[in-house]
Amino acid sequence: MTLIVTGGAGFIGSNFIRCMRSAHAGIRIVCVDKLTYAGNLSTLQGLLDAPDFRFVKADICDREAMSALIAEERPDAVVNFAAETHVDRSIEDPAVFLRTNVLGVQTLMDCCREHGVPRFHQVSTDEVYGDLPLDRPDLLFTEETPIRTSSPYAASKAAADLLVLAYCRTYGFPATISRCSNNYGPCQFPEKMIPLIIINALADKPLPVYGTGENIRDWLYVDDHCCAIDLILQRGRPGEVYNIGGHNERRNIDVVRLICHGVGKPESLIRHVADRKGHDLRYAIDPAKIHRELGWLPQTPFEEGMRRTIDWYQHNRSWWEEIVSGEYRHYYARMYGEG
Ligand code: NAD
Ligand code: TYD
């Protein structure tokens, strides 16, 4: 079996490649990544020279490159992780989000259709459903929840989802979509909350919490997300959307406190800073459909996943030190000041 994995030098894509290689002996994986600020070849360390692995530096919006690669590799499936992914950056500058997250998906699907690729999987997000109120814990996102986006990032992902479903209906295009809650684990770019707080805590720097810290996210260990996508590729029904979530809702402030405890640093490092514009209050997924149809359940308890994650950042300093000493410094200074 040959898979093309786009965005494989990023957080979830790289973990997915490793999960698939250990779960399926003999699988060939072709990783396509533009290596934007978020993509990092050192994330693929140990894989680049591996047999049955190929890395191609390319943009998913480059029709000629995508078409030629698909013609050459004849993949059994294309799994699309490539995206601009950070909400705060989408608030600063939405344009690149529309280009990659919408036009890139259209380009990939056109090339898959052109060459008759048997399966396309779009990795989407629960953020397409907008948010839920904090005082209604009974409400959860199901696959039937209407699309109602808050950020330019979420809107770009929702636009792509609608396009994928339109291709399924109009052309009989064999695609599936997964909408996952917040992931955490090794190799997550330090602009996202969990790695940012771990890295700052390790360096005794202030820990920025937006607003009151009451906002709730449903956190899932990255390997559990990867297993779910593997199952969807094997047994998911084309044209269907699958929600993926951990039944693991946490307030941001509680996650930050847990990190302080895990790293052995005082909570006095916590700083409440200006809130994110349009900040979604609560995300919560109902994963009943993927459980019922594909037998998927999350395997990693939050405390265990966080212990592994903190441990990874403690033991892989060179990975993130290279990032935080480069271009990322300018973004950090713009967002949080020089501190
Ligand atoms: P990431 O930002 O860590 O990685 C994205 C990767 O895509 C990077 O390697 C980047 O270089 C690459 N890329 C960006 N633009 C590209 C382009 N035009 N052509 C080729 N490659 C390009 O993101 P992530 O957190 O790993 O997210 C992966 C996917 O999962 C995204 O589609 C995201 O919307 C979705 N998702 C993420 C989460 C989460 O919590 N991180 C949750 C649900 C869904
Ligand atoms: P993030 O990791 O950016 O993921 P998302 O916006 O996709 O949920 O943020 C997770 C939560 O943490 C979100 O409610 C915003 C908040 N947050 C902070 O409080 N401080 C920070 O420095 C960051 C980056 C996020």
Side-chain angles (χ1 to χ4, degrees), residues 60 63 66 70 78 80 102-117 120-122 159-168 171 173-177:
I60 59 165
R63 188 171 292 263
M66 290 305 109
I70 290 170
V78 172
N80 180 37
V102 185
L103 298 178
V105 175
Q106 182 219 345
T107 306
L108 278 178
M109 291 197 296
D110 286 346
C111 295
C112 287
R113 285 187 63 225
E114 181 189 353
H115 298 291
V117 174
F120 178 81
H121 182 73
Q122 171 66 3
D161 283 13
L162 294 176
L163 199 59
V164 173
L165 294 174
Y167 272 49
C168 292
Y171 306 118
F173 184 63
T176 41
I177 296 175

Side-chain angles (χ1 to χ4, degrees), residues 85-88 125-127 151 153 182-183 188-197 200 207-211 213-219 252-253 256 271 273-276 279-281 283 328 331-332 335-336:
T85 61
H86 194 39
V87 171
D88 294 318
T125 165
D126 62 354
E127 298 192 30
S151 70
Y153 161 67
N182 285 56
N183 284 215
Q188 186 166 27
F189 194 84
E191 66 192 349
K192 303 290 183 353
M193 184 182 79
I194 286 184
L196 187 147
I197 298 292
N200 280 17
L207 311 178
V209 171
Y210 295 168
E214 306 272 302
N215 304 60
I216 290 174
R217 297 292 183 264
D218 174 2
W219 293 99
N252 290 341
I253 189 70
V256 174
R271 298 279 184 285
V273 300
D275 209 353
R276 173 184 280 170
H279 196 174
D280 279 335
L281 291 171
Y283 302 148
Y328 178 66
Y331 168 80
Y332 192 91
M335 283 292 296
Y336 303 99

Side-chain angles (χ1 to χ4, degrees), residues 230-251:
D230 185 7
L231 281 176
I232 295 170
L233 285 173
Q234 292 178 49
R235 293 192 279 115
R237 290 179 290 136
E240 292 293 318
V241 174
Y242 295 90
N243 280 356
I244 307 171
H247 276 307
N248 180 42
E249 292 178 50
R250 308 272 165 164
R251 296 187 313 163

Side-chain angles (χ1 to χ4, degrees), residues 119 121 143 176-178 224-238 240-244 287-299:
R119 176 60 76 87
H121 182 73
E143 290 80 0
T176 41
I177 296 175
S178 52
D224 286 328
H225 184 187
C226 296
C227 282
I229 296 174
D230 185 7
L231 281 176
I232 295 170
L233 285 173
Q234 292 178 49
R235 293 192 279 115
R237 290 179 290 136
E240 292 293 318
V241 174
Y242 295 90
N243 280 356
I244 307 171
K289 177 176 174 181
I290 191 168
H291 176 54
R292 195 175 57 243
E293 293 192 10
L294 306 180
W296 179 86
L297 277 178
Q299 300 296 319

